Amino acid sequence: MALFSFSGKPAAASKDDQTSRLLQNFLGGYSIEVTPRTAEKVASFRDILPEGTRVYIAHIDGTPIEDMVRTARRLADEGFPVMPHFPARIIKNHAELAGWIARYQGEAGVTQALLLGGGRTTTVGEFEDSLKLIETGLFDGFGHLHVAGHPEGNRDIDPDGSDKMVMQALNWKQAFSRRTDARVAITTQFCFEAVPVIAWANRLADEGIDLPIHIGVAGPARLQTLMKYALSCGVGPSMKVLQRRAKDVTKLLLPYEPTELLSELAEYKEQHPAFGIEQVHFFPLGGIETNANWVTENGGAAGRPAN
């Protein structure tokens, strides 16, 4: 008599399988950041990015607007929604801002913008921060307006190390989001540790700020590269993650990958569905293609390229 065997009964999903599933869900709809210079190195974005991936274009001080618009047009022609940066402190005046917007809209069909103060302590013109940009009214009609978030603080805005001014600004932007048709969200600086990110996002919720959060994450890169960018960008306490790695000779020469950080955030999101992080935004510090390939390998359908 044949015996029923239960050896083929599907086993409960392993912890690794569950983590992989959560990570794939968390990576859905991710965005990525380029500059005109880094974009030139990519032969085809459709070969490496999923359909509809939002691509931010960072406006580094000194970059000609012609290069920015050309990059926006190229990405739009490849079918990707484009979100150029508008760093307030490098814009001279109202006329220059209006000119930039007209060129982005007229030549590349741009309807999205990331508004931020910019990585400098002084202004070259009449705009000190993103609030001043919004108050011009020139962004009326945009579909998406994102503003900067700083889970570990920003000493350019709060030199005393507090977050008093940052929180005041976010409250103003929260109020603005309720009177505009644009979808307003917070896109953050990159960091390396989940605990402070979770605490910061929950603090915003406690303060009544419910703008969706697009969490900034550094893509795979060499440790030395990450530490250089982290220092120049003012990354705070989560730098200790990199410092610990630098002391571990078994990991020192291996590239950093954001798997642990994203898996912890994904697991927290699974346990707390109302958690404010909506999407992941990658800073491809180790290269755009390296970053995109990592998502393809770890993101399931969320990382499948358009072509």
Side-chain angles (χ1 to χ4, degrees):
M1 186 173 74
L3 299 176
F4 290 107
S5 171
F6 292 96
S7 60
K9 182 180 180 180
S14 69
K15 176 68 175 175
D16 287 347
D17 289 341
Q18 182 183 9
T19 300
S20 178
R21 177 183 61 80
L22 295 179
L23 181 58
Q24 291 178 18
N25 291 339
F26 198 63
L27 287 169
Y30 81 90
S31 58
I32 196 165
E33 187 154 317
V34 305
T35 67
R37 183 176 61 82
T38 60
E40 285 179 354
K41 299 177 182 177
V42 179
S44 168
F45 280 93
R46 294 188 65 81
D47 285 346
I48 60 173
L49 298 182
E51 193 80 56
T53 301
R54 174 181 288 131
V55 182
Y56 293 60
I57 309 176
H59 195 146
I60 308 300
D61 194 4
T63 304
I65 186 61
E66 290 77 13
D67 292 356
M68 293 292 297
V69 173
R70 184 172 59 251
T71 304
R73 184 170 60 244
R74 181 236 170 140
L75 286 161
D77 287 346
E78 290 199 45
F80 296 100
V82 182
M83 178 172 277
H85 291 197
F86 286 84
R89 295 177 184 172
I90 73 169
I91 300 172
K92 294 176 183 175
N93 51 43
H94 189 281
E96 182 172 72
L97 175 60
W100 285 13
I101 292 173
R103 293 197 60 176
Y104 277 128
Q105 293 183 321
E107 299 178 36
V110 167
T111 61
Q112 307 186 16
L114 172 63
L115 310 179
L116 65 169
R120 51 183 300 159
T121 56
T122 59
T123 63
V124 301
E126 58 189 73
F127 305 115
E128 183 178 4
D129 51 41
S130 58
L131 301 184
K132 295 293 188 294
L133 297 178
I134 293 172
E135 288 171 347
T136 64
L138 292 171
F139 292 94
D140 293 354
F142 273 59
H144 294 264
L145 292 175
H146 288 193
V147 295
H150 306 278
E152 298 183 307
N154 185 333
R155 287 189 177 271
D156 287 345
I157 302 174
D158 286 298
D160 62 358
S162 71
D163 62 1
K164 178 180 177 183
M165 299 303 294
V166 167
M167 292 303 294
Q168 284 184 3
L170 284 177
N171 274 295
W172 189 96
K173 292 161 187 170
Q174 170 80 46
F176 168 73
S177 74
R178 293 182 176 134
R179 62 176 188 271
T180 178
D181 292 332
R183 293 190 62 186
V184 181
I186 299 170
T187 304
T188 81
Q189 174 62 285
F190 59 87
C191 40
F192 301 99
E193 191 172 22
V195 171
V197 169
I198 292 170
W200 174 77
N202 286 338
R203 167 128 190 270
L204 295 191
D206 291 343
E207 295 285 337
I209 297 170
D210 60 2
L211 297 175
I213 298 169
H214 296 212
I215 188 67
V217 173
R222 295 189 308 156
L223 185 60
Q224 296 90 334
T225 301
L226 289 180
M227 295 191 80
K228 180 185 73 173
Y229 279 107
L231 289 169
S232 65
C233 294
V235 171
S238 72
M239 267 288 289
K240 63 187 179 187
V241 172
L242 301 184
Q243 292 164 343
R244 282 199 302 268
R245 192 179 182 91
K247 295 177 182 177
D248 186 341
V249 294
T250 66
K251 297 180 179 178
L252 181 60
L253 299 179
L254 298 175
Y256 164 88
E257 294 184 348
T259 315
E260 182 177 345
L261 167 63
L262 289 171
S263 296
E264 290 178 8
L265 292 175
E267 185 171 348
Y268 189 85
K269 178 76 173 178
E270 174 78 1
Q271 296 169 353
H272 305 82
F275 183 47
I277 292 181
E278 179 182 80
Q279 288 183 0
V280 174
H281 175 62
F282 280 108
F283 293 82
L285 303 182
I288 299 168
E289 294 195 38
T290 298
N291 198 143
N293 291 338
W294 182 87
V295 181
T296 300
E297 293 168 2
N298 292 274
R304 190 173 301 137
N307 285 342

